[in-house]
């Protein structure tokens, strides 16, 4: 069974940093591109970032570009999101997600849909 | 960047009604569109990918259509368990933008 378990969320002050982790199991992480999606309280879904299976290609939403860094350690089956210069607008539940496709290897984020999603981890930015 | 819009933003319908949600891209995205369902307090769930392909395990009352800029999600006979928010997402190229969502309730 595919499982994605996020950790690292919590309360952080404005201007602070936080690193989220996503432990993947039930599949070979290196053969899948991965993504982070967030959802502010009471709001819709916002795509944040994506990374190719090898980690060689990364993609960011304009709202986080230059502040957030996505990375992965395939040997540890773990995806990361380093978040710096946090503001109140970054307060949200952050979901880790696998990108899927019709073939057995879905390494490039474009043209891959999200499935499945992790349970999410809450990040609250407040003084 | 390509913008995604959805209409309506919310709707209320009776059990058994046919429900249609529209998603529009500001530029053509071929058929690189997915639909997700999110029930209150739950994780989003994939319903449809490639605009019209039903994800395994999703009830057949859900269907998707469209290509280019205009897409629709249809629930052929609304059930109480379909109360949720529905989001479309483009995945042709980054940014992989979501639509603003459509909230579906039972009348």
């Amino acid at each position: 069974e595919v499982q994605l378990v996020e950790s690292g969320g919590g309360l952080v002050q404005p201007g602070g940093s936080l690193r989220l982790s996503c432990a993947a199991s039930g599949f070979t992480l290196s053969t899948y591109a991965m993504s982070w999606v967030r959802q502010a309280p009471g709001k819709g879904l916002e795509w944040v970032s994506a990374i190719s299976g090898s980690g060689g290609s990364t993609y960011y939403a304009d709202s986080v570009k230059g502040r957030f860094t996505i990375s992965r350690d395939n040997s540890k089956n773990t995806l990361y999101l380093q978040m710096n210069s946090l503001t109140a607008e970054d307060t949200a539940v952050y979901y880790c997600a696998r990108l899927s496709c019709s073939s057995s290897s879905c390494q490039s984020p474009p043209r891959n849909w999200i499935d499945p999603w992790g349970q999410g981890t809450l990040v609250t930015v407040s003084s | 960047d390509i913008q995604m819009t959805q209409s309506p933003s919310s709707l209320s319908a009776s059990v058994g009604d046919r429900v249609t949600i529209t998603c529009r891209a500001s530029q053509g995205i071929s058929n690189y569109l997915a639909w997700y369902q999110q029930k209150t307090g739950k994780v989003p769930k994939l319903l449809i990918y490639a605009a019209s392909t039903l994800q395994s395990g999703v009830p057949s009352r859900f269907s998707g259509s469209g290509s280019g800029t205009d897409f629709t999600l249809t629930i052929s006979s609304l059930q109480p368990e379909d109360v949720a928010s529905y989001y479309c997402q483009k995945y042709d190229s980054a940014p992989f933008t979501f639509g603003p969502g459509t909230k579906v309730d039972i009348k």
Side-chain angles (χ1 to χ4, degrees), chain A:
Chain A
E1 179 193 5
V2 172
Q3 280 202 313
L4 300 169
V5 179
E6 302 93 335
S7 61
L11 176 64
V12 60
Q13 293 191 334
S17 298
L18 211 56
R19 188 176 85 156
L20 305 182
S21 299
C22 172
S25 60
F27 66 102
T28 303
L29 185 63
S30 60
T31 60
Y32 287 88
M34 299 291 291
S35 188
W36 289 96
V37 176
R38 69 184 180 182
Q39 187 169 36
K43 303 297 184 181
L45 301 172
E46 180 186 12
W47 173 76
V48 172
S49 183
I51 187 169
S52 63
S54 67
S57 297
T58 56
Y59 308 79
Y60 298 96
D62 284 346
S63 58
V64 306
K65 201 172 294 182
R67 301 187 300 122
F68 289 14
T69 302
I70 190 171
S71 63
R72 61 195 296 158
D73 186 336
N74 289 336
S75 67
K76 294 183 178 179
N77 294 317
T78 304
L79 175 73
Y80 303 101
L81 186 67
Q82 177 67 43
M83 306 186 294
N84 299 331
S85 304
L86 287 162
T87 73
E89 287 65 46
D90 297 313
T91 293
V93 173
Y94 285 73
Y95 294 103
C96 165
R98 189 182 76 172
L99 299 184
S100 294
C101 63
S102 300
S103 67
S104 58
S105 178
C106 310
Q107 298 203 26
S108 179
R111 305 187 178 184
N112 291 346
W113 55 89
I114 293 175
D115 184 58
W117 302 61
Q119 289 299 308
T121 186
L122 177 62
V123 172
T124 303
V125 184
S126 175
S127 54

Side-chain angles (χ1 to χ4, degrees), chain B residues 24-80:
Chain B
R24 180 162 291 168
S26 60
Q27 297 176 42
I29 59 171
S30 185
N31 69 334
Y32 295 109
L33 186 102
W35 289 97
Y36 303 92
Q37 175 194 63
Q38 186 180 33
K39 298 181 179 180
T40 302
K42 300 298 185 181
V43 175
K45 170 189 167 184
L46 175 69
L47 292 178
I48 287 169
Y49 60 92
S52 61
T53 302
L54 196 67
Q55 170 70 348
S56 174
V58 174
S60 59
R61 63 180 179 273
F62 290 93
S63 64
S65 65
S67 183
T69 60
D70 295 321
F71 303 87
T72 60
L73 173 69
T74 299
I75 308 173
S76 61
S77 177
L78 187 67
Q79 299 301 303

